[in-house]
Amino acid sequence: MNTPYDPIIAERRQLTNLAYRLLGSLADAEDVVQETYIRWYALPDDKREAIGTPGAWLMKVAGRICLDMLGSARARRERYVGEWIPEPVPAPAEWAGAPSGETVADPADRITLDESINMALLVVLDSMTPAERVAFILHDVFRYSFAEVADIVGRSDAACRQLATSARRRLRDAQVASSAPTARRAAVVRDFKQAWEAKNIEALVGLLDPDATVVADGGGLVSAALHPIEGRDQVVRFALGLAGRVPGMTLVESTVNGQPGLVAQNDGVTVAVIAFEVADDQVIRMWAIRNPDKLRAWTRGARRPE
């Protein structure tokens, strides 16, 4: 039976995409969307009917909620155990527990996979001020005018223009690698997987940039390196040591935030999702998300790893 088309509920996908890019968390994004709808339906009927473009109103409210949450998130990050990495999202077809041919309700299934959710970009976005992040995402990703951004951020058009410029400068300074063709990145990740599984030191060294870095996020819930592992030799030692400590671990090629990545499983349970940044056929950075609270889209119904 077909359900009536509701243009308000149809905005959920756009709202989820905005909130995830701003917050880097599926759970927080869903909270933002729910709060946005609560505020919409709390309006008196006459006020709702007077809003000419409900979608714009919803995006404005969601943007302001995100701005407030970003401010409080900074304080939470200071108490976070170890490194904080944005929550990874799978491709819709790879979402854990998604029945074949059915629409899933999880927010992971509503994230549009494009360059704006590249893990490297999200990590740099997290270093920005809340206002910079909101201005950049709304203007450069969602193509809002600076006048519209100013209405959400509560600053002048000129100030928002400066915020977006500052955000772009941060991205340039971070030297986020330009995207190689997906097939090429996938080949590098596949070669890395095979070398890791074979404990092939020579191959691993050849696939890693001399300044390669691994950042792990366990959130204090599972074991993970508390600080970044820097330098090719240290990364190789870390990878080989991990393979030795977890002999039953298997690696599966997957799509992580729209990019080729790996999923580590132990006894069939996802215990880590690994995102890669690749340039010039070498791995520059890896982000290993182990915090089980951030793996729910990958492990629905699975037990928590030890």
Side-chain angles (χ1 to χ4, degrees), residues 29-67:
E30 190 71 355
D31 288 344
V32 167
V33 174
Q34 290 177 357
E35 177 62 23
T36 300
Y37 279 120
I38 287 171
R39 296 188 187 186
W40 170 262
Y41 288 111
L43 290 172
D45 291 345
D46 59 331
K47 287 193 175 181
R48 285 206 305 270
E49 292 170 0
I51 296 174
T53 52
W57 186 94
L58 292 167
M59 287 287 279
K60 177 179 177 179
V61 170
R64 287 179 173 174
I65 295 172
C66 287
L67 187 60

Side-chain angles (χ1 to χ4, degrees), residues 147-202:
E148 293 170 313
V149 175
D151 190 34
I152 294 172
V153 178
R155 303 195 187 188
S156 68
D157 297 15
C160 289
R161 193 181 298 275
Q162 282 299 112
L163 287 169
T165 298
S166 176
R168 295 186 205 107
R169 187 180 304 117
R170 285 179 184 262
L171 286 171
R172 288 195 299 271
D173 291 345
Q175 297 180 329
V176 175
S178 58
S179 295
T182 300
R184 188 62 238 154
R185 281 175 278 159
V188 172
V189 171
R190 183 176 303 115
D191 289 346
F192 184 87
K193 168 184 176 290
Q194 293 171 349
W196 192 0
E197 290 173 329
K199 300 180 183 178
N200 186 330
I201 296 175
E202 182 180 0

Side-chain angles (χ1 to χ4, degrees), residues 218-242:
L221 301 176
V222 295
S223 62
L226 295 177
H227 304 287
I229 298 162
E230 300 177 333
R232 177 167 54 197
D233 293 348
Q234 293 300 320
V235 171
V236 170
R237 290 191 184 97
F238 172 77
L240 294 177
L242 183 60

Side-chain angles (χ1 to χ4, degrees), residues 107-131:
D109 189 55
R110 292 192 289 271
I111 299 296
T112 302
L113 302 180
D114 60 28
E115 287 298 323
S116 66
I117 65 159
N118 182 310
M119 187 62 74
L121 174 61
L122 290 180
V123 169
V124 178
L125 287 174
D126 197 58
S127 70
M128 298 179 183
T129 68

Side-chain angles (χ1 to χ4, degrees), residues 195-218:
W196 192 0
E197 290 173 329
K199 300 180 183 178
N200 186 330
I201 296 175
E202 182 180 0
L204 285 171
V205 168
L207 288 164
L208 289 165
D209 181 86
D211 297 320
T213 302
V214 173
V215 181
D217 178 350

